Amino acid sequence: FLRTDRGFDTVSRTAGHLALVTVAGTTGNTDLTYWLREFSGGQWGPWTSLGGSWGGKTCNLIDAECFSASRPRIVSWDANHMAVTSRGTNGRLFVNTWQGAWGGWVDLGGNVWRRPEPVSWGPGHLSVFVIGSNATILWQQEFLNGAWSSWRNLGSGRLLG
């Protein structure tokens, strides 16, 4: 069984299909990893590990540093594409994309303060918004037809207090 206190996120990429992603440890094991479970054809499939050890550090349920990693966010932009995003324990943005199979975690860099917010605005188009670690800059990185753009500053006004 999986144990989690990190929450979860869900997405539907087609009618009758759901994907649920969470960060969890297995019973008797405190190491955390990202897990995905899909609902299709009227039934839930098994939990699938997406892995995850950011910045050379393996997270576990009793490690305070791991609380700096964000819960995962999942998004779909068509029936054949999903992406899971998360802030790593090293403060960088990580993404794992599915295009018929999971491609593995990719470090997109950045200096992320809070969990990323991915959004799709059409087939082949994914934007990820984050707040920089200095709490003053909102960043966007785009996945356009197979390639990630560089980070962009969307404003330098103070976002908090």
Side-chain angles (χ1 to χ4, degrees):
F1 294 99
L2 296 179
R3 301 179 317 146
T4 185
D5 62 357
R6 297 294 180 103
F8 61 90
D9 198 22
T10 59
V11 71
S12 176
R13 60 182 169 87
T14 62
H17 179 274
L18 295 172
L20 179 139
V21 65
T22 190
V23 178
T26 56
T27 300
N29 181 1
T30 59
D31 289 343
L32 293 178
T33 192
Y34 287 81
W35 293 89
L36 179 98
R37 193 168 188 188
E38 296 185 79
F39 180 86
S40 186
Q43 61 186 0
W44 286 99
W47 285 103
T48 303
S49 174
L50 298 179
S53 174
W54 318 146
K57 178 165 186 55
T58 300
C59 291
N60 63 63
L61 290 170
I62 59 174
D63 188 340
E65 183 180 346
C66 289
F67 285 100
S68 68
S70 70
R71 79 173 196 216
R73 304 291 290 171
I74 189 168
V75 65
S76 174
W77 57 94
D78 65 31
N80 300 310
H81 295 87
M82 292 187 291
V84 176
T85 61
S86 186
R87 177 189 181 274
T89 57
N90 60 1
R92 297 168 68 89
L93 175 65
F94 287 84
V95 65
N96 191 344
T97 57
W98 180 86
Q99 299 177 55
W102 290 99
W105 291 97
V106 176
D107 181 345
L108 296 179
N111 200 1
V112 180
W113 186 51
R114 296 281 189 205
R115 76 174 186 218
E117 294 292 342
V119 63
S120 172
W121 46 283
H125 299 279
L126 174 66
S127 292
V128 181
F129 296 88
V130 302
I131 297 174
S133 63
N134 61 4
T136 60
I137 301 172
L138 181 67
W139 296 92
Q140 174 187 25
Q141 192 164 63
E142 294 179 327
F143 182 76
L144 299 171
N145 298 314
W148 288 98
S149 70
S150 59
W151 289 99
R152 288 184 232 156
N153 182 338
L154 297 181
S156 58
R158 236 181 124 65
L159 296 174
L160 300 175

